[in-house]
Amino acid sequence: MANIPLPTKLIAGVTVPDTPLITKALEFARDNTSTLAYNHVVRSWLFGTFIADRIPHLQGRDNELHAITAILHDLGWSTNADLVSKDKRFEVDSANATREFLRREGKKEEWDERRLQLAWDAVALHTTGSIARHKEIEVQACLFGIGTDFAGVGGSPGGVLTQEVWDEVVKEYPRLGLSNGVKEILCGFCMTKPETTYDTFMADFGAKFVEGYNEEGYRVMDRILAARD
């Protein structure tokens, strides 16, 4: 929890919190996602931790919550049907699965409804930076690590991530063709549950790469223009 010192360990040159619940989260992610996805979420946690530890206003965050939300933020990419819905966008599936994990594995007295909601928000908003960066510091830290895994060293908030740390993390958790792999995942959603993609960034992937994909009539713009004056 926030401001409570936690045991730490070193992973790929980054000092991270080390609790039984974080270990369980890593195991859960490993068991329920592909190697590409698992490597991505761990890199996101490591980058986010390194960055947030060096940005003053993020240093008082709930480190355990940050770790778990970063590690579990893409459970909606799972091939485990129990974690993936037919009618919700993947960020919501990921957030719901994270909350259920915490209710199941966490200590009830440590995970009250506010802390659970904060974890849900951090996961659900991780692709909506224009909102997440104005939320609680745990949400921001989660966003920054995930975003940096796509943006690279030069795109890290505050420019605090070093090439040395990047190289060490990527060596330990290879990228495995991340860009193309994510494209395939997102296009898959555009094909299998397109109604969850129309008002999201995923619609751009559908429009460009998925034959027959058409968001016209489902966009926020369409609903506004169709409204009665």
Side-chain angles (χ1 to χ4, degrees), residues 174-211:
R175 299 181 70 76
L176 303 177
L178 179 69
S179 178
N180 191 61
V182 172
K183 184 189 82 171
E184 290 181 2
I185 291 168
L186 300 181
C187 287
F189 292 135
C190 291
M191 291 185 283
T192 60
K193 48 179 186 178
E195 69 281 357
T196 71
T197 70
Y198 293 138
D199 65 341
T200 79
F201 75 100
M202 289 182 281
D204 294 333
F205 287 84
K208 186 173 180 62
F209 299 112
V210 178
E211 185 176 358

Side-chain angles (χ1 to χ4, degrees), residues 156-170:
S156 67
V160 299
L161 185 64
T162 67
Q163 188 67 52
E164 181 181 11
V165 170
W166 173 276
D167 290 344
E168 186 66 23
V169 170
V170 171

Side-chain angles (χ1 to χ4, degrees), residues 49-75:
T49 299
F50 186 89
I51 292 165
D53 283 349
R54 286 157 180 78
I55 296 178
H57 84 276
L58 299 180
Q59 291 174 5
R61 69 193 183 284
D62 182 335
N63 284 294
E64 186 176 50
L65 187 149
H66 172 207
I68 291 167
T69 54
I71 292 165
L72 301 183
H73 81 265
D74 278 332
L75 288 176

